[in-house]
Amino acid sequence: MRVDPTRLSVRDALAEAVAGMLRRPGRAVLTALGTVLGVGSFVAVLGLTATISSQIDGRFNVLTATEVTVEDIAGRQNEFAGPGFPADAEQRLRAVAGIRSAGVMWTVRLDSTTTVGALPSGGGNAATGISVVAASPGAVAALVPTLQEGRLYDDFAERSRQHVVLIGSGVAERLGITTLATRPALYIGQEPFTVAGILADVERKPENLLSVLVPRATAEELWGPPPPAAASMLIAAELGAARQVADLAPLALRPDHPEYLKAVPPPDPRMLRSGVTSDLSALFLLLAGICLVIGAVGIANTTLVAVLERTAEIGLRRALGARGRHVSAQFLTESATLGALGGLVGTSLGELTVVAVSLARDWTPVIHPATVAAAPLAGLVTGLLAGLYPAWRAARIEPAEALRR
């Protein structure tokens, strides 16, 4: 069997590639840096997408999938109909299984001269942009509030129509209320109210942190029943019972006219999660692709410069019997090796980024094994593609012309 004396083995190609990189180690490191950043971004964004998706999944299961809203549409069905919600709405829903808490709430419509402040209207020290929300104790519980100080008002405050309110920490700061130890008062128009509690946060309907919450019966006594279609009921259901509760709530509240109420069940968490995850994945994959393109351009540019600088060397190799494909293989191997090394380092950095972000946010890091396996391969392919044009240029160099330089 005849052996080609000019054959370039894989071992020789790798040896030449390593020698070429070690000849200029600083340049090799800077060249691989583009791939490191590209592959690292690729792993980081895919890992963060998977991690965020798992967090979205948990949040949908806990909150969105257990929230039911019932709207008052009595005015649309009959212009002479009164409020759609009965006065004992909360008591009627207690017979429905699967409900943790529920209550009626609406935004009170005050006239333009009525203000919210530490003094009666016209006395100064009023804050603008603070709305008044009538909310029964069940509605407050359905918000899943976190108290900063004080306590929530209860059914007794509702029945006795007490003048008590709940406010968010931001509203308290605007009104100059720093503690409840002094039993501070708050005025809505000319009516004084005792601040029962300050809310640090709510898990549902966070816009209520910028409002003053008043017991439903107290609000009806002072400002009348809610305007048509203004009231709604917030229901916190047990996990898995939300759609059943949405079907039964209108009938339990108004067996005489269930059509006066419209129950809005939670969206299917799987479809909503799938849509959000798809959007995040598309965006992050685009960013990762841009980073890989930048890394490929860096490798291509540096490899092309190396070809121009080593023209004499290439000419000497060709004069000693090396063929064009051997020269191409040498430079392709060098660029592919740089890409693979950059891919390995980038994969490690990407994983560390996902873990660091997850620890900072108290999340559980999620990285798919396929991402870890594909990332170094992506670096290798990026380096190989980036080296195609420089290798083609190197293969076309004529020995005689190169040696004359």
Side-chain angles (χ1 to χ4, degrees), residues 328-381:
S328 297
Q330 176 187 342
F331 283 96
L332 281 175
T333 304
E334 187 172 330
S335 63
T337 303
L338 283 173
L341 291 175
L344 289 172
V345 176
T347 301
S348 302
L349 292 179
E351 292 177 352
L352 289 175
T353 301
V354 174
V355 172
V357 172
S358 301
L359 289 176
R361 302 289 298 177
D362 198 20
W363 293 343
T364 300
V366 178
I367 303 178
H368 294 296
T371 301
V372 178
L377 182 61
L380 173 64
V381 173

Side-chain angles (χ1 to χ4, degrees), residues 68-83:
V68 178
T69 303
V70 182
E71 301 174 355
D72 181 357
I73 59 172
R76 304 179 199 172
Q77 303 295 329
N78 185 351
E79 60 180 333
F80 301 106

Side-chain angles (χ1 to χ4, degrees), residues 110 155 248 373:
L110 304 173
D155 290 336
L248 297 177

Side-chain angles (χ1 to χ4, degrees), residues 43-330:
V43 174
V45 296
L46 290 182
L48 289 175
T49 300
T51 301
I52 293 172
S53 297
S54 68
Q55 299 302 313
I56 292 174
D57 182 33
R59 189 167 181 83
F60 282 165
N61 287 339
V62 174
L63 291 177
T64 307
T66 59
E67 181 179 320
V68 178
T69 303
V70 182
E71 301 174 355
D72 181 357
I73 59 172
R76 304 179 199 172
Q77 303 295 329
N78 185 351
E79 60 180 333
F80 301 106
F85 293 107
D88 59 344
E90 292 187 22
Q91 287 73 18
R92 295 191 181 193
L93 284 186
R94 287 173 183 169
V96 179
I99 296 179
R100 289 183 177 180
S101 54
V104 178
M105 58 193 309
W106 71 89
T107 300
V108 177
R109 295 183 182 177
L110 304 173
D111 58 58
S112 58
T113 60
T114 303
T115 59
V116 177
L119 296 174
S121 293
N125 198 22
T128 58
I130 299 178
S131 58
V132 177
V133 174
S136 64
V140 173
L143 294 175
V144 193
T146 301
L147 274 170
Q148 176 177 305
E149 191 176 354
R151 60 188 296 270
L152 305 177
Y153 53 72
D154 53 17
D155 290 336
F156 175 77
E158 174 84 3
R159 291 194 304 270
S160 58
R161 296 175 171 80
Q162 292 186 7
H163 285 207
V164 293
V165 295
L166 297 172
I167 58 176
S169 57
V171 174
E173 184 177 352
R174 293 179 60 185
L175 296 176
I177 300 175
T178 58
T179 178
L180 299 184
T182 58
R183 300 182 61 84
L186 179 149
Y187 284 85
I188 303 176
Q190 302 295 325
E191 296 291 336
F193 289 81
T194 300
V195 180
I198 300 176
L199 304 179
D201 193 14
V202 292
E203 295 189 18
R204 291 190 175 93
K205 311 292 184 184
E207 62 272 15
N208 287 288
L209 290 173
L210 302 177
S211 305
V212 175
L213 302 181
V214 181
R216 173 191 178 186
T218 305
E220 287 184 340
E221 182 181 57
L222 294 175
W223 302 294
S232 64
M233 171 170 273
L234 180 63
I235 301 175
E238 298 287 348
L239 188 61
R243 291 192 172 270
Q244 177 184 354
V245 168
D247 293 336
L248 297 177
L251 188 61
L253 290 168
R254 290 296 300 266
D256 55 339
H257 288 290
E259 70 276 6
Y260 284 0
L261 301 172
K262 177 184 177 182
V264 182
D268 187 346
R270 291 172 298 178
M271 295 179 59
L272 190 56
R273 181 176 65 251
S274 176
V276 174
T277 303
S278 298
D279 293 341
L280 288 174
S281 298
L283 175 61
F284 287 158
L285 280 175
L286 177 62
L287 294 176
I290 292 174
C291 292
L292 283 176
V293 169
I294 294 173
V297 171
I299 292 178
N301 182 63
T302 306
T303 306
L304 185 59
V305 171
V307 168
L308 297 177
E309 289 181 348
R310 296 162 64 181
T311 300
E313 175 191 337
I314 294 171
L316 180 60
R317 287 177 179 273
R318 294 294 306 276
L320 293 176
R323 298 180 181 179
R325 66 174 183 270
H326 300 149
V327 175
S328 297
Q330 176 187 342

